[in-house]
Amino acid sequence: MQLITVAGPPSSGKTAVIINVIAALHRKGRKVGVIKMDCLQAQDQEEYKKRSIPVQVGLSGNLCPDHFFVSNIQACVDWGIEQKLDMLISESAGLCNRCSPHIKGITALCVIDNLMGVNTPKKIGPMLKLADYVIVTKGDVVSQAEREIFAFRIRQANPKAIIMFVNGITGQGAPELASLLQKAEPISSLDQRRLRFSMPAALCSYCLGETRIGKDYQMGNNRLMKFE
């Protein structure tokens, strides 16, 4: 089974891209399932179920969804193998624009949209900078010049990534992306594999449930602002 990880900011069009890619893979006779990771709730699984796409949802609750992902991804792979999937696609929102579950040797996508502003590629950390593919959505509502500038900024942030424009509504670009994803390495386990980077964490009093504000209540790994 092949595993593809898809990450991107909320509302960037991840689900629409995945649905169109799966439609293209279905036409080739491939069986594809989805793991949806989110924080408090998710509705995208209904879109997958409407299309008879096997789907499982993981809600991280008070934990970072990407840390939650790493703790559960092997069980997700086991589920995909039990379902006899040809490909399993994980969908996770990098809510803080820093984390993402990119794994060494596993094809990784970052989805961003053209309406986020030209400086957005610089603001997104490893989620974009370490992805194999950067998928740009909503390119149909901006000018050609704006698309080119946006792509240039992506190349500045991640010169090695393949940049593709996919229309989440019409599906334009999805068959080409699906063909590329079929080249991913098959796996049977993620045991002993490594993340592409160590995800940031701040183990402070607020991580442990503190709600009071003030120096006396700030313990652990804190960082204070420097004012000029």
Side-chain angles (χ1 to χ4, degrees):
M1 185 187 71
Q2 295 166 306
L3 174 64
I4 308 293
T5 61
V6 178
S11 302
S12 58
K14 298 183 294 298
T15 302
V17 169
I18 292 171
I19 285 174
N20 282 292
V21 165
I22 292 177
L25 291 169
H26 280 172
R27 291 193 287 273
K28 297 182 178 184
R30 307 273 289 173
K31 185 177 181 182
V32 187
V34 173
I35 295 292
K36 170 72 179 181
M37 296 287 187
D38 219 313
C39 290
L40 301 179
Q41 59 175 306
Q43 288 82 38
D44 294 332
Q45 67 272 21
E46 301 304 324
E47 296 300 320
Y48 295 121
K49 290 177 180 176
K50 287 179 188 174
R51 295 163 176 82
S52 301
I53 298 170
V55 59
Q56 291 289 326
V57 177
L59 298 178
S60 63
N62 292 333
L63 300 178
C64 163
D66 293 321
H67 288 233
F68 177 78
F69 169 94
V70 177
S71 302
N72 288 276
I73 188 58
Q74 179 58 56
C76 297
V77 169
D78 293 339
W79 171 79
I81 292 173
E82 288 175 4
Q83 297 294 313
K84 301 186 185 307
L85 301 178
D86 297 308
M87 180 183 291
L88 177 63
I89 299 177
S90 74
E91 177 185 350
S92 176
L95 299 179
C96 65
N97 286 342
R98 298 180 301 169
C99 288
S100 68
H102 295 335
I103 302 169
K104 291 182 179 178
I106 301 297
T107 301
L109 276 64
C110 174
V111 179
I112 58 175
D113 79 67
N114 236 142
L115 299 179
M116 291 179 170
V118 294
N119 292 320
T120 296
K122 290 184 177 179
K123 296 178 182 177
I124 300 178
M127 181 168 63
L128 185 148
K129 294 176 180 176
L130 298 180
D132 299 305
Y133 297 87
V134 178
I135 310 303
V136 184
T137 60
K138 304 175 187 176
D140 56 322
V141 293
V142 299
S143 67
Q144 177 65 28
E146 288 173 304
R147 285 196 294 274
E148 291 180 2
I149 292 172
F150 200 69
F152 175 73
R153 294 292 172 84
I154 293 171
R155 288 191 199 93
Q156 286 182 314
N158 184 348
K160 295 181 179 179
I162 295 173
I163 303 171
M164 298 185 70
F165 287 82
V166 174
N167 189 314
I169 298 176
T170 67
Q172 184 178 12
E176 292 80 4
L177 176 59
S179 295
L180 291 171
L181 297 184
Q182 284 191 278
K183 299 177 182 178
E185 173 193 356
I187 62 163
S188 58
S189 172
L190 292 172
D191 189 39
Q192 302 300 316
R193 294 217 180 221
R194 290 178 175 270
L195 297 174
R196 298 189 184 189
F197 60 97
S198 57
M199 293 193 289
L203 186 57
C204 69
S205 49
Y206 298 108
C207 296
L208 300 175
E210 179 61 77
T211 58
R212 294 170 292 183
I213 298 173
K215 290 191 296 184
D216 292 343
Y217 310 113
Q218 297 172 359
M219 296 177 286
N221 188 8
N222 292 309
R223 179 177 297 175
L224 302 179
M225 291 175 59
K226 294 180 180 179
F227 293 88
E228 297 180 351

